[in-house]
Amino acid sequence: MVWAWARALGGIGLLGALLWQVGSGPFLAGLSLIDAPALAAALAIGALTTVCGAWRWSLVADGLGVRLPLRTAVAHCYRAVFLNATLPGGVLGDVHRAVRHGRDAGDVGRGVRAVVWERTAGQVVQAALALVVLAAFPSPVRSYLPAAAAALAAAGLGLVLLARLVPHAGPSRWARTLRAAARDVRSGLLANRAWLGVLLASAVMVAGHLATFLVAARVAGATAPLSRLLPLTLLALLAMGLPLNVAGFGPREGVAAWAFGAAGLTAEQGVATATVYGALVLAASLPGAAVLLRRRMRTPLGRRETAVRG
C-alpha cells in the first residue's frame, strides 16, 4: 500500500514539475489537435497490439499448463489495457488478469507466473530492439549506448553465474526458486515453437506502440523526418516502464520533453506528443471498458454483493 501511494505521488510530482516548466499549454494543445483519422489509426493499431499480447500470453500460459483460449485472452487483455491506462501505476490491469486467470484455471501461482514471464519476454524484446534502433539513428543517448550495452551484458552474465552458483538440488528456497524458474522458461518460453510466437508477438507490439507514438507526433505538429523522431519516441516509450505515473501520465511526458529538447526540437512539442499518445492509447483501450461493463451486467447482484463483502 505504501509503495502504491509512493508511485502515485511520484507521478503527481513529475506532472507538477512539468506543468511548472512548460505550463498547461502543451497538454491542452495536444488534446485539442486530436482528429478522427488519428483516433481510427489508434483503434486499429491498438486492436493489433492487443491481439498480439493475448497471443503471447496464451502461448506462455499453455506452456505452463494453465490453458488460455485466445478469445478469452483478448477480452482479458483489453480489460487490462483499459485498467492500466486509467488507474495509477500502470500495472493494475495486468495484476487483475493474472489473478483472475489463475483462479479460473485453479492455480493462481501459475496464472501469475504466466503474466510475469510473458511481460518479461516483451520487455527483453523491447530492450533489444531499443538498442538496435538507438544505435542506428541519431539520438540524445547515442554516446551512452556502449556503456548501456556493456552494463546489460554484465547483468546477463551475472545472472548466468548466479544460476550456476545456486545449488540446483536440495530443499533450500533458492534451489526451489531456481528450479521453478528454469521449468517455467523451458515450458512457457522455449518449448516447441512458442519462442518464435513470443518473439514475433513482442516485436509487432513494439512496432505498434512506436507507430502510435509517431501518429501522435504528427498530430502534435512535429514535422521532423521519421529517422529523427523514431529514437525520440522510443525513449518516451521506454519511460512508460517506470511505475511512477498517474493514469499513464508522468515519466513518459518528462522523458519526451527532455528528448525532444535535446534533439533540437522543443520540450513543449515533446509534452504535446506524449499527451496525444496517452489520449490515443486511452481511446484504443475503450473496448476494455465494454468488457468490464458487460461482465458487470452479467454478474448477478447477489454475487456482486458477496464479492464486495468478501
Side-chain angles (χ1 to χ4, degrees), residues 58-207:
S58 180
L59 288 172
V60 176
D62 288 353
L64 295 185
V66 280
R67 185 176 179 276
L68 179 64
L70 181 59
R71 181 176 179 179
T72 302
V74 170
H76 286 355
C77 281
Y78 257 122
R79 178 172 55 198
V81 169
F82 176 73
L83 293 176
N84 285 344
T86 54
L87 297 178
V91 296
L92 295 180
D94 292 315
V95 173
H96 181 271
R97 68 180 169 101
V99 174
R100 171 68 190 280
H101 173 229
R103 288 176 176 172
D104 290 345
D107 192 329
V108 174
R110 288 191 183 186
V112 171
R113 296 205 310 272
V115 171
V116 170
W117 285 117
E118 66 96 1
R119 285 296 303 267
T120 300
Q123 293 297 320
V124 170
V125 172
Q126 178 173 288
L129 291 176
L131 285 175
V132 173
V133 171
L134 293 175
F137 299 100
S139 73
V141 300
R142 195 173 191 178
S143 60
Y144 302 103
L145 288 181
L152 289 175
L157 180 60
L159 289 175
V160 172
L161 292 176
L162 180 63
R164 289 184 176 276
L165 290 174
V166 174
H168 288 233
S172 70
R173 185 182 66 177
W174 279 106
R176 293 196 304 270
T177 300
L178 183 61
R179 289 197 297 268
R183 285 195 302 268
D184 285 352
V185 172
R186 286 196 302 267
S187 302
L189 299 178
L190 303 179
N192 299 325
R193 291 183 294 274
W195 67 270
L196 182 59
V198 170
L199 178 62
L200 178 60
S202 300
V204 172
M205 290 177 71
V206 174

Side-chain angles (χ1 to χ4, degrees), residues 214 217-218 221-230 232 260 265 269:
L214 291 173
R218 293 307 190 203
T223 58
L226 291 180
S227 60
R228 192 176 179 189
L229 286 175
L230 187 60
L232 305 182
F260 274 63
L265 303 177
Q269 194 167 69

